[in-house]
Amino acid sequence: MSSHYEAPIREPLVTGEKTYHDISVEVGAPVLGRANKTWYIVFTLALIAFLWGLGCIIYTVSTGIGVWGLNKTIGWAWDITNFVWWVGIGHAGTLISAVLLLFRQKWRMAVNRSAEAMTIFAVVQAGLFPIIHMGRPWLAYWVLPIPNQFGSLWVNFNSPLLWDVFAISTYLSVSLVFWWTGLLPDFAMLRDRTTNEFQKKIYGILSFGWSGRVKDWQRFEEVSLVLAGLATPLVLSVHTIVSFDFATSVVPGWHSTIFPPYFVAGAIFSGFAMVQTLLIIMRKVVNLQDYITLLHIEYMNKVILLTGGIVSVAYITEFFIGWYSGTSYENYTYLSFGAATGPYAWAFWALIICNFVVPLTLWVKKLRRNILWTFIVALVINIGMWFERFDIIVIDLSKGRTPSSWAMFSPTFVDIGVFIGTIGFFFVLFLLYARTFPVIAQAEVKTILKSSGEYYKNLRAKHGDDVPHHAESDPTAKEPEANVKDSDAFMGSTSSEGSSHEATVNADALNLTDTQKDQLDAMLARIGTYNPQTEKSDDLQKLDGVGPVLEQHLHQVGIYKYDQISKLTKEDYELLDEVIENFPIATNRGDWNVQATELKNK
C-alpha cells in the first residue's frame, strides 16, 4: 500500500464525487458568486445586533461609564467579564491551526481557515472593552510606553495589565501573519478564476505574486511551520498573562496558583466550542457540507471532551481547596458552598450545568455525531464559559474581607446592549469575510483529496491500491500542477522518443492519458499548431478569466495564439476542462472565440 493512502476503514474527509476542479469551483463560489438567502438572513440578524450595540457604545462614551451597573466594590464587572470571554474564544483558532499543522493532522484542512479568522475577530471584540472601560477612549494611547509628555504619568511595568497589552497585541500580530500566509494560494486561485478586472487586480495584489512554483510552495511550507512554532507557545502565554490579572491579587478566590493552566484550558474549551458553532453555521450558509463533514465535527467534539475534562478537574480542585482551607473568606468564592447557595446561586449552577453536565453527553457517539445536538452543546458551553468569567469576577468581588463593602451587581440595558453588539459585530465581520475570502483552504484540501476523498477511496476499494488499475477511469487522475516548467519543457516534446504526439503538448506536466493525448492531437490538427521558431506567442492573459497559471496550462496543451482559440468548439472546451485544473466555466470566461477574434484583428 502506498504511504499516502489511508486505510479503507477510515471515513473520507471529503465526501461526494469531488475532483480538483470541483474544489476550486465550490470553495470559490461564495466569493465569486452571489450570496444565498441564508447568508442574507444571518447577516441581517448580526447587523441588527451590531447596530444596537454601537448605539449603546456611543451612549456610554458620550454619557460616561456610570450608565453601566458598576459600583464601588465591583469595579470589574460586565466589561472585564466580556473581555476575558472574548480573549478565551480567540485562543482556540490559532491553536487548532498551529498544533494540528505541527502534528500533520489531515482533518485540520477544512477547519483551520475559519478558526484563524475567528481568532482575529474575537481579539478585536476583546480589545473594545478595556478601551471603553477607560471612560475616555480618545486617550487610550496613554497606556502605551511612549516618551513621558504628561508630567509624572508613566506605565507600570510591574502590572500584568500592561503585559496584557503586550501579549495580546503580539498574539494578534502573529495570528494575522499566520492567517494571511495560508490565504496566499487561495488568493491566487480567485485571481485566476474571476472575470471581474477589479477583483483580478485586488486578488493579484493580495496574493503577493503567487504563481504555484515549487519554490513558492517550499517557502510556504517553511514559513507556515515557523509561524506555527511561534504561535503555539503564544497561545499558552497570552491567557496565562490574562490569569495573572487575577492571580497576583490578594482577593479571595483570585489569589490562586492554579489559575494559569486553568485559564488556558478554559480558553481552549470555549474557543473550540465557538469554532464548532461557526463551522456548523458556515457549512450551511456557504454550502460546504462535503468539506466540513460529520467526521470533522466528531473530531472537534472529542477535543471539547478532553478540554472540558481538564476544566472540570480544575473546578473540583478549586471547590475542594476552598472547603479544606477552613477559611471563612474562602467560603464565598466563585466555586464554594456559599456561592452555590447564596444570592448568586443561579450563576453558579449555570456554570456547573453548562460546562460540566451538558458536555458529558458527547461521550455518546450518536449525540457526538448529531449536528443539531452538537450545535446546542457548543452554544451551551459558550454560555457556560461566560458564566465562569462572570462568577470569577462578580462573586469573588461581591463579598470581600470587610462586610461593610459587600455589594451586589446588576447589569443595565447598556451593559447587555454592548455585549450583544460585540456578538453581532463578530458575526458581521465573519460573514463579510466569508464573502471576500475562501472559508476553506482549497489548496490544502486538494493535497488530501487522493488519500481522503470519498471518490478515490471508492476507486481503491474497487480496483485496489495500484493507481494504474483505475487511472483510465479517473477523470482527475492528474495531480494539481504546482511547478512552472522551463522554456525547453514548453517548446519541446517530453514524451518518449518516436512518439507521434504533437510536440507542443507538454503531456508529462499534465499527466495525460493516451486517449487525452490523441484528443489534443486531433484538436490541434484542426485549430492549428504553434511553431516557436517562426512565431511569437500572444498574450493570452487578455482573455477573460486567464491569469498566469491558466496561461501556463494553455501553453502546456499547445495553445499559444489567439487564432487557435478563435477556432475552439464546444467539444474542445469540454476537453480543456477535463485536462486543465481550475479551467474557468463558461460564465466566467465569457465568449473566448469572439474575444480572440477581436484581439487577433487588432
Side-chain angles (χ1 to χ4, degrees):
M1 180 180 289
S2 298
S3 60
H4 67 285
Y5 287 167
E6 286 183 350
I9 196 172
R10 287 185 177 271
E11 292 183 54
L13 290 170
V14 181
T15 60
E17 301 290 307
K18 303 301 179 188
T19 65
Y20 294 114
H21 181 65
D22 292 334
I23 294 174
S24 298
V25 171
E26 293 175 10
V27 172
V31 179
L32 302 178
R34 295 177 61 87
N36 56 29
K37 186 183 296 184
T38 308
W39 185 91
Y40 280 109
I41 292 172
V42 177
F43 182 77
T44 301
L45 294 174
L47 186 61
I48 291 171
F50 168 58
L51 292 176
W52 179 21
L54 182 61
C56 291
I57 292 173
I58 293 172
Y59 177 64
T60 301
V61 173
S62 60
T63 308
I65 60 172
V67 299
W68 287 354
L70 304 174
N71 55 50
K72 190 173 182 180
T73 298
I74 308 175
W76 280 17
W78 196 269
D79 54 327
I80 303 302
T81 296
N82 299 331
F83 163 74
V84 180
W85 187 71
W86 277 117
V87 171
I89 283 175
H91 274 62
T94 302
L95 183 83
I96 290 171
S97 194
V99 174
L100 297 183
L101 172 63
L102 294 175
F103 283 94
R104 301 294 186 182
Q105 293 298 303
K106 293 181 179 180
W107 64 275
R108 164 189 180 272
M109 310 301 184
V111 304
N112 67 316
R113 185 63 49 74
S114 295
E116 292 164 13
M118 181 200 73
T119 288
I120 295 160
F121 301 146
V123 172
V124 169
Q125 309 311 315
L128 292 175
F129 287 99
I131 293 174
I132 301 172
H133 187 94
M134 293 174 181
R136 299 176 182 176
W138 52 90
L139 298 179
Y141 65 94
W142 282 16
V143 304
L144 301 176
I146 55 179
N148 192 346
Q149 302 294 327
F150 311 107
S152 60
L153 180 66
W154 188 253
V155 294
N156 181 9
F157 282 96
N158 293 324
S159 171
L161 296 176
L162 177 63
W163 290 99
D164 266 355
V165 177
F166 291 153
I168 293 174
S169 58
T170 303
Y171 177 67
L172 177 62
S173 302
V174 172
S175 296
L176 269 171
V177 175
F178 190 39
W179 174 62
W180 198 275
T181 300
L183 277 165
L184 293 179
D186 298 322
F187 285 146
M189 181 270 289
L190 294 173
R191 173 199 66 197
D192 296 333
R193 291 192 61 81
T194 184
T195 58
N196 184 294
E197 286 299 320
F198 177 74
Q199 284 185 331
K200 190 181 290 291
K201 289 180 181 178
I202 293 298
Y203 287 122
I205 294 170
L206 296 178
S207 64
F208 292 170
W210 180 276
S211 63
R213 297 174 299 174
V214 166
K215 195 66 176 176
D216 290 351
W217 282 107
Q218 180 184 356
R219 289 170 177 166
F220 176 83
E221 289 285 338
E222 291 172 351
V223 170
S224 295
L225 287 171
V226 169
L227 290 173
L230 288 173
T232 302
L234 269 177
V235 171
L236 302 178
S237 67
V238 172
H239 221 56
T240 296
I241 291 175
V242 171
S243 76
F244 288 167
D245 295 345
F246 306 94
T248 55
S249 73
V250 293
V251 175
W254 285 10
H255 192 65
S256 173
T257 55
I258 201 176
F259 265 31
Y262 166 42
F263 266 52
V264 170
I268 297 169
F269 183 47
S270 61
F272 267 78
M274 181 59 85
V275 172
Q276 192 78 285
T277 305
L278 289 175
L279 289 179
I280 292 173
I281 292 174
M282 296 311 297
R283 73 192 294 269
K284 182 67 175 178
V285 170
V286 294
N287 298 318
L288 293 174
Q289 292 92 334
D290 288 330
Y291 303 98
I292 304 172
T293 66
L294 271 176
L295 188 60
H296 291 94
I297 290 170
E298 184 180 15
Y299 284 156
M300 292 289 290
N301 280 334
K302 289 180 178 179
V303 178
I304 289 173
L305 270 176
L306 173 64
T307 52
I310 298 172
V311 170
S312 298
V313 170
Y315 289 164
I316 295 169
T317 303
E318 286 282 273
F319 193 94
F320 173 77
I321 293 299
W323 167 78
Y324 188 72
S325 66
T327 305
S328 58
Y329 300 115
E330 294 288 338
N331 195 39
Y332 202 75
T333 58
Y334 72 104
L335 283 172
S336 65
F337 182 78
T341 57
Y344 284 112
W346 54 274
F348 173 90
W349 290 109
L351 162 67
I352 298 301
I353 292 171
C354 293
N355 289 352
F356 180 72
V357 178
V358 173
L360 291 177
T361 61
L362 295 179
W363 283 102
V364 181
K365 184 172 184 178
K366 187 176 181 180
L367 295 176
R368 196 167 61 236
R369 294 177 65 89
N370 184 291
I371 299 291
L372 177 60
W373 181 249
T374 295
F375 184 69
I376 293 171
V377 170
L379 286 178
V380 167
I381 290 172
N382 283 314
I383 294 170
M385 290 306 295
W386 184 90
F387 272 108
E388 179 199 285
R389 278 58 181 252
F390 178 84
D391 290 356
I392 288 174
I393 293 170
V394 174
I395 295 181
D396 287 342
L397 288 177
S398 64
K399 288 190 177 181
R401 300 183 188 277
T402 54
S404 61
S405 66
W406 290 1
M408 293 288 291
F409 166 78
S410 297
T412 65
F413 78 95
V414 182
D415 284 313
I416 298 171
V418 171
F419 178 51
I420 292 177
T422 59
I423 294 175
F425 190 21
F426 175 80
F427 279 99
V428 164
L429 291 175
F430 199 90
L431 289 165
L432 289 176
Y433 146 79
R435 291 283 294 131
T436 312
F437 301 154
V439 176
I440 299 289
Q442 56 87 25
E444 297 182 38
V445 171
K446 288 177 181 177
T447 64
I448 64 170
L449 185 62
K450 282 292 181 71
S451 61
S452 300
E454 183 179 26
Y455 178 71
Y456 291 94
K457 292 176 83 74
N458 290 339
L459 280 177
R460 287 196 296 276
K462 181 178 180 181
H463 298 283
D465 293 331
D466 191 10
V467 176
H469 288 173
H470 61 271
E472 290 294 330
S473 63
D474 178 7
T476 61
K478 60 186 182 301
E479 293 286 352
E481 177 61 37
N483 190 16
V484 177
K485 307 296 181 185
D486 56 32
S487 58
D488 291 335
F490 281 137
M491 305 306 178
S493 172
T494 58
S495 56
S496 58
E497 187 177 351
S499 171
S500 60
H501 291 295
E502 173 55 47
T504 55
V505 177
N506 189 1
D508 286 351
L510 294 170
N511 196 19
L512 303 176
T513 65
D514 287 336
T515 302
Q516 290 169 333
K517 294 175 187 176
D518 293 337
Q519 291 172 329
L520 285 176
D521 290 343
M523 179 188 75
L524 292 173
R526 186 178 65 259
I527 68 174
T529 57
Y530 169 71
N531 186 347
Q533 305 299 327
T534 60
E535 296 179 284
K536 182 179 178 181
S537 63
D538 293 325
D539 183 6
L540 301 184
Q541 293 188 45
K542 292 184 177 180
L543 298 168
D544 288 348
V546 179
V549 176
L550 182 54
E551 182 180 45
Q552 168 201 333
H553 290 326
L554 289 172
H555 288 173
Q556 288 170 337
V557 298
I559 297 177
Y560 290 81
K561 306 286 291 182
Y562 294 139
D563 184 61
Q564 293 173 293
I565 291 178
S566 67
K567 299 174 184 177
L568 292 175
T569 64
K570 180 182 178 182
E571 290 73 20
D572 295 333
Y573 284 117
E574 291 175 354
L575 175 61
L576 293 176
D577 185 41
E578 181 181 332
V579 301
I580 295 179
E581 180 196 0
N582 297 338
F583 191 74
I585 58 178
T587 55
N588 286 340
R589 67 173 181 262
D591 193 339
W592 274 6
N593 299 76
V594 173
Q595 297 171 39
T597 301
E598 292 175 352
L599 289 168
K600 77 176 182 179
N601 291 330
K602 283 186 178 181

